[in-house]
Amino acid sequence: MDDAGAAFAGLVDLAPAAAFIRDCQGRYLWANHAYAHLYGAVPDELVGKCIEDFDAPAEAVQFRALDQEILTRGTPVRHTLDYRRPDGSAGRAVGHRFPVRENARTCVAGIYVDVTDQLRAMVQWQEAEDNLQALRDHSGLPCALLSANGRVVEASAAAAELFRIGLPDLVGRRAHTLLAPDPGLDRLHRRWNGLIARRTRRLETSAVLVDAQGRQRRAELHLTTVGHSAAHARHVWAVVTHLSLAHEAHPSLTAAQIRILSLLAAGSSNGDIASSLKLSRQTVDYHLSRLRDLLGAATRPALVARAYVLGILAPRAWPPRSATAAHPLSTA
């Protein structure tokens, strides 16, 4: 090789990119290890051999035509090549061919990067994205991908319908603007910080959601972090698994009132409630009267029913208890 060819060979001999030099007859003058590996060989096994000794006839014709293009033009050309790997699978490489001088002859050099695995990974990633989108959009579950700072990155059509806003308007919203004031917000915030800090990967919790018309629903949420390589989670999937009846905002209930509703749902009598909470019968009667006014329920069974459909009591918990206390912090 002349100085230019030797410099080229020295630069890329052990490079991960596949490189070669051929003469005008299609005979290999030099190849690096990465190029020889494409044929299941070592460089010395290629030198002195022709294209047809390693490639199928159709591919050999293609490669010779590319070589002649370089020799005729005398300038570098960028190519994308489809070829057959030694195991019979299809491969793709991108790179350049260009003229070099070797022993006073103009020869063809090429350097290519095999992008087969990268393209396969991109196809698999796109398929996974399509599957996730189909699952998200057709499952009927309201769900959203949230950034670590609580902004909606993606959302399902069901989520947009839940909040009674268009999907483009939901994406980009701050999640806290979708939450109604609730005594459980402080605990939800602490749990969220635990997720982002990776003290836990997923949890079940609840929150009161508010739509564009101001109507509220108690929702059970599954929160799951996405990706596990960084020190802190970058995204969290939030999936709504249960919703209470939509209702206008009602006055916040006291802890004592919620406890009374829980005991009432468990079948306790007024006397049992008074004894359990160490209250007088008159105080219990007052609270029950107040609850009937607040929740618009005339009877004890109606009070219990309203407490469940409004999401005040947890729908799948026994003994009955507040929805805000129904999900202990998960540590999965």
Side-chain angles (χ1 to χ4, degrees):
M1 293 185 184
D2 61 12
D3 291 342
F8 171 77
L11 178 65
V12 297
D13 187 38
L14 297 177
F20 67 86
I21 298 177
R22 287 194 292 256
D23 64 18
C24 61
Q25 303 301 318
R27 190 177 307 277
Y28 285 101
L29 303 179
W30 173 87
N32 72 350
H33 290 274
Y35 186 87
H37 180 71
L38 294 176
Y39 296 96
V42 295
D44 289 344
E45 294 175 334
L46 270 71
V47 173
K49 304 290 181 62
C50 290
I51 296 176
E52 289 78 6
D53 295 326
F54 298 94
D55 292 299
E59 292 176 334
V61 171
Q62 176 192 10
F63 296 159
R64 279 187 175 275
L66 293 175
D67 284 359
Q68 288 303 312
E69 180 183 0
I70 297 302
L71 294 172
T72 301
R73 295 177 53 169
T75 57
V77 175
R78 177 178 172 82
H79 289 124
T80 297
L81 296 178
D82 293 315
Y83 69 97
R84 189 62 56 184
R85 285 177 154 185
D87 62 3
S89 63
R92 177 169 291 188
V94 295
H96 291 80
R97 295 189 188 211
F98 47 92
V100 294
R101 296 290 295 175
E102 166 64 16
N103 295 329
R105 298 176 298 170
T106 300
C107 300
V108 177
I111 183 166
Y112 288 86
V113 175
D114 191 324
V115 296
T116 308
D117 294 336
Q118 179 185 1
L119 291 175
R120 183 180 295 115
M122 290 178 63
V123 169
Q124 292 173 344
W125 174 82
Q126 187 60 55
E127 290 176 347
E129 280 287 302
D130 292 342
N131 290 336
L132 177 60
Q133 183 174 357
L135 178 63
R136 183 187 68 198
D137 291 340
H138 299 295
S139 67
L141 289 175
C143 57
L145 182 67
L146 307 176
S147 65
N149 62 1
R151 191 180 294 277
V152 178
V153 179
E154 299 178 24
S156 67
E161 184 178 350
L162 168 62
F163 292 107
R164 296 179 178 271
I165 57 177
L167 187 56
D169 295 323
L170 179 57
V171 174
R173 286 278 296 269
R174 291 282 188 179
H176 74 266
T177 65
L178 306 171
L179 301 176
D182 183 72
L185 280 180
D186 288 342
R187 186 175 63 170
L188 177 59
H189 183 69
R190 292 193 299 271
R191 292 183 173 189
W192 175 268
N193 288 338
L195 275 176
I196 300 305
R198 297 196 182 281
R199 291 193 291 271
T200 181
R201 289 188 302 170
R202 58 182 176 270
L203 62 86
E204 297 179 15
T205 187
S206 69
V208 178
L209 309 181
V210 58
D211 65 25
Q213 298 177 359
R215 293 173 65 81
Q216 299 182 3
R217 291 175 182 257
R218 168 72 62 180
E220 293 188 19
L221 303 171
H222 283 229
L223 304 178
T224 307
T225 58
V226 178
H228 305 290
S229 58
H232 290 78
R234 297 180 60 187
H235 295 94
V236 174
W237 270 109
V239 180
V240 177
T241 58
H242 184 273
L243 281 169
S244 72
L245 183 71
H247 60 86
E248 302 294 337
H250 56 68
S252 298
L253 302 184
T254 66
Q257 289 171 331
I258 294 176
R259 182 63 178 148
I260 288 172
L261 286 172
S262 300
L263 293 170
L264 199 64
S268 298
S269 66
N270 287 15
D272 294 334
I273 295 174
S275 176
S276 177
L277 299 182
K278 297 180 173 53
L279 299 174
S280 69
R281 288 287 298 270
Q282 291 78 7
T283 300
V284 173
D285 290 340
Y286 167 77
H287 280 304
L288 289 173
S289 175
R290 179 65 177 150
L291 286 168
R292 284 193 290 268
D293 290 338
L294 291 174
L295 304 185
T299 65
R300 293 165 63 93
L303 269 178
V304 173
R306 291 287 287 176
Y308 277 111
V309 298
L310 295 179
I312 298 170
L313 297 180
R316 292 191 291 271
W318 190 267
R321 59 185 181 272
S322 167
T324 61
H327 298 291
L329 180 61
S330 303
T331 55

